[in-house]
Amino acid sequence: MLDTVEQPGQSLSESGDLSDQPKDCSIRSISNHGFHNIAYRDWGDSEHDQTVFCYHGLTRNSHDFDPLASELSKQRRVVCPDIVGRGRSDWMTDAAAYNLNQYNVDAMALANRIGAEEFDWIGSSLGGLMGISWAGHENSPIRKLVVNDIAPVVPFAALRRIALYLGDDPIFRSLDDVEAHMRKNFAPFAPMTDADWARMARNGAVESESGYKLAYDPDIVQNFRRYWLVFHFSLWRYWDQIKCPVLVLRGTESDFLTLSLVKEMKKRLPHMDLIEFEGVGHTPTLNAPEQYDQVIDWLTSN
């Protein structure tokens, strides 16, 4: 039981960032605890022959892909969802539902709703883990996979860094304060201009009666700590089964995707391609031509 609802939202031309105007939409998906809405931004002509899904990182949202989607939508349809608990999507009533299986159920519901039987997948961090698990299944609908700065396992040092701020629920007096918070916690992101940071703050916070709050459910930390810090979650069994073309993006300063992990990924999946961005940490933001042009070229030429 799925439906589509177009929702009003600020267009990129109104915000002064980009000229394209994607549709802000949502679908209804299901969990063990009932129904919930998944928001997504739908770029480009729905009649394009090819579709690309862009999935964001752990506490991020669909707006992270605005610059890339604007360019990519000239060639194909680009769908950028807010993973449940983030952005404009609903929060779950039970924190245990914030897990990879639920995220994949929601992604399948969205793919089915828009009629995408085969598609490309660009995933940053958590979105990359989702893509790995999809591509590693038999009869996967993923045609080409782009994994942005993540491996099938995550080093403990990187997990510990994220855990230091994940789960906080701060209140900010202004968007300037939100921006300062993001500049501190997402310092490894690159490239980022002052305009990029301001856009991230504007799209990553919601205004409440008491002030601005971050646009994600702080309860997502519960399963994050359980699966990653306690059980050392691994997706190698899916990585080893991937047959589609794969491009891995890495920031050379990344603490999530180390050189040793890249070597192991290449050893286990020889057909993997790699692009590295100098001086960039976790994660490459794909918001400037020097990054997204290479991704678009790879999708087009392979």
Side-chain angles (χ1 to χ4, degrees):
M1 296 177 62
L2 303 171
D3 60 14
T4 300
V5 181
E6 291 196 6
Q7 299 180 348
Q10 183 184 46
S11 71
L12 292 172
S13 59
E14 291 171 341
S15 70
D17 289 328
L18 299 166
S19 59
D20 297 56
Q21 298 185 34
K23 297 185 291 295
D24 286 330
C25 309
S26 70
I27 65 158
R28 187 177 302 161
S29 188
I30 193 170
S31 75
N32 291 334
H33 309 285
F35 292 95
H36 55 274
N37 288 321
I38 298 296
Y40 64 98
R41 294 169 66 75
D42 193 348
W43 297 76
D45 189 345
S46 62
E47 299 302 317
H48 274 312
D49 292 337
Q50 296 179 347
T51 298
V52 182
F53 283 96
C54 298
Y55 275 89
H56 58 77
L58 185 63
T59 62
R60 303 301 310 132
N61 59 71
S62 58
H63 284 282
D64 283 1
F65 294 103
D66 284 353
L68 170 64
S70 178
E71 289 297 318
L72 200 52
S73 64
K74 297 173 183 177
Q75 306 173 4
R76 59 193 76 194
R77 186 180 190 180
V78 186
V79 179
C80 305
D82 288 327
I83 299 173
V84 66
R86 291 84 164 171
R88 295 187 302 111
S89 291
D90 287 346
W91 291 9
M92 303 299 274
T93 56
D94 185 344
Y98 291 126
N99 59 69
L100 195 63
N101 286 338
Q102 183 62 56
Y103 303 152
N104 286 342
V105 167
D106 294 341
M108 193 71 251
L110 176 54
N112 285 339
R113 181 60 185 89
I114 69 171
E117 296 184 0
E118 184 182 70
F119 43 82
D120 297 336
W121 185 294
I122 301 173
S124 292
S125 198
L126 172 60
L129 295 175
M130 292 172 61
I132 290 170
S133 68
W134 273 62
H137 274 96
E138 191 71 23
N139 300 317
S140 171
I142 293 182
R143 190 178 69 100
K144 298 177 183 178
L145 173 64
V146 179
V147 177
N148 187 13
D149 210 69
I150 199 72
V153 294
V154 181
F156 183 79
L159 294 172
R160 183 174 56 186
R161 176 175 65 82
I162 297 297
L164 290 176
Y165 68 83
L166 186 63
D168 291 342
D169 192 18
I171 301 292
F172 303 95
R173 292 177 299 175
S174 67
L175 284 177
D176 288 340
D177 291 340
V178 175
E179 181 179 332
H181 174 84
M182 290 183 171
R183 282 177 179 263
K184 176 183 177 181
N185 287 325
F186 299 130
F189 282 24
M192 293 290 288
T193 64
D194 288 344
D196 291 328
W197 286 115
R199 181 169 61 87
M200 180 181 285
R202 184 171 62 250
N203 294 324
V206 292
E207 191 171 8
S208 66
E209 292 183 358
S210 55
Y212 288 92
K213 303 185 71 173
L214 299 176
Y216 67 85
D217 184 352
D219 283 348
I220 65 176
V221 70
Q222 296 183 31
N223 269 5
F224 169 82
R225 287 173 174 159
R226 177 186 177 192
Y227 286 105
W228 291 101
L229 294 177
V230 178
F231 294 122
H232 304 293
F233 195 67
S234 170
L235 295 180
W236 284 120
R237 66 189 183 279
Y238 298 112
W239 182 259
D240 293 341
Q241 300 302 315
I242 295 176
K243 297 180 176 62
C244 70
V246 178
L247 171 65
V248 172
L249 307 176
R250 176 180 181 262
T252 59
E253 306 301 319
S254 176
D255 56 350
F256 269 72
L257 185 53
T258 63
L259 277 175
S260 61
L261 282 171
V262 170
K263 291 178 181 178
E264 182 67 15
M265 293 168 77
K266 183 68 173 179
K267 176 182 176 182
R268 298 170 78 139
L269 200 72
H271 71 268
M272 176 196 98
D273 293 323
L274 174 68
I275 295 175
E276 295 185 302
F277 301 111
E278 292 292 332
V280 177
H282 181 75
T283 57
T285 51
L286 308 183
N287 62 2
E290 60 265 28
Q291 289 188 359
Y292 62 63
D293 279 352
Q294 296 187 67
V295 174
I296 294 173
D297 288 345
W298 183 86
L299 288 173
T300 303
S301 63
N302 285 270

